[in-house]
Amino acid sequence: MPLSPVRYVFVYGTLRRGEPRDINRLNPAPRWVGLASVPGTLLDLGAYPGLLLGGQGRVRGEVYEISAELERQLDEIEEVWPQQSGEYAKREVRVVLDCPPGHQAGPLDRPVPQEVSCLLYEIAPDRARAKPVIASGDWVRHRAGPSVD
């Protein structure tokens, strides 16, 4: 039986570690790869954020290796399968890792960029109209409060 290709996902909001829908609570568990960023704009939709790809900004998030079974669960959470709500679209993009897998950054190390192809869930442009921009591009930092963002 052939091995399934390795799949990665970039999570930037409530699926991040320690957040209400932490991906690490799902089963089968994902494998942590690292912190990362993508070009885009992060928007505050209230209880969760939305990401619009492209532009001058950067959106911070986390990369995980996932199984096909976990990918299906994420599709259900983001409502792109089996019924599409139209709020999010599943995309595959190149993501810049802050520190390559297997590289432990020490106090004197500088992160070495590396790219990996990741799934992510982009907010539909019509759902993003007139929503506040999260200037830091970091949902966790934004939720910590205005003094941090």
Side-chain angles (χ1 to χ4, degrees):
M1 184 159 100
L3 293 174
S4 297
V6 174
R7 300 289 279 170
Y8 298 97
V9 66
F10 175 81
V11 296
Y12 57 86
T14 60
L15 288 167
R16 286 180 67 182
R17 187 177 307 220
E19 290 299 300
R21 298 187 98 170
D22 186 336
I23 192 172
N24 295 288
R25 293 188 206 133
L26 300 176
N27 200 359
R31 186 183 71 78
W32 166 260
V33 174
L35 295 172
S37 65
V38 296
T41 303
L42 193 62
L43 303 163
D44 188 336
L45 306 178
Y48 55 93
L51 163 64
L52 283 175
L53 290 167
Q56 299 298 315
R58 296 226 46 101
V59 175
R60 306 277 307 140
E62 302 164 358
V63 174
Y64 293 89
E65 184 179 319
I66 59 171
S67 66
E69 184 180 347
L70 184 53
E71 181 179 343
R72 187 171 299 121
Q73 287 180 57
L74 294 171
D75 288 350
E76 288 181 46
I77 289 168
E78 302 296 349
E79 298 177 349
V80 298
W81 179 89
Q83 295 288 4
Q84 294 185 0
S85 71
E87 185 170 26
Y88 287 95
K90 186 176 182 178
R91 306 274 186 239
E92 188 151 347
V93 299
R94 299 298 294 172
V95 173
V96 177
L97 292 167
D98 291 350
C99 188
H103 180 271
Q104 297 299 316
L108 301 176
D109 287 340
R110 287 168 110 87
V112 179
Q114 181 178 338
E115 291 187 352
V116 64
S117 184
C118 288
L119 302 174
L120 65 70
Y121 298 88
E122 181 182 24
I123 193 72
D126 65 319
R127 305 283 179 105
R129 280 189 189 68
K131 300 296 183 191
V133 171
I134 299 171
S136 68
D138 188 327
W139 175 249
V140 172
R141 184 175 169 192
H142 176 71
R143 280 188 14 103
S147 62
V148 179
D149 202 22

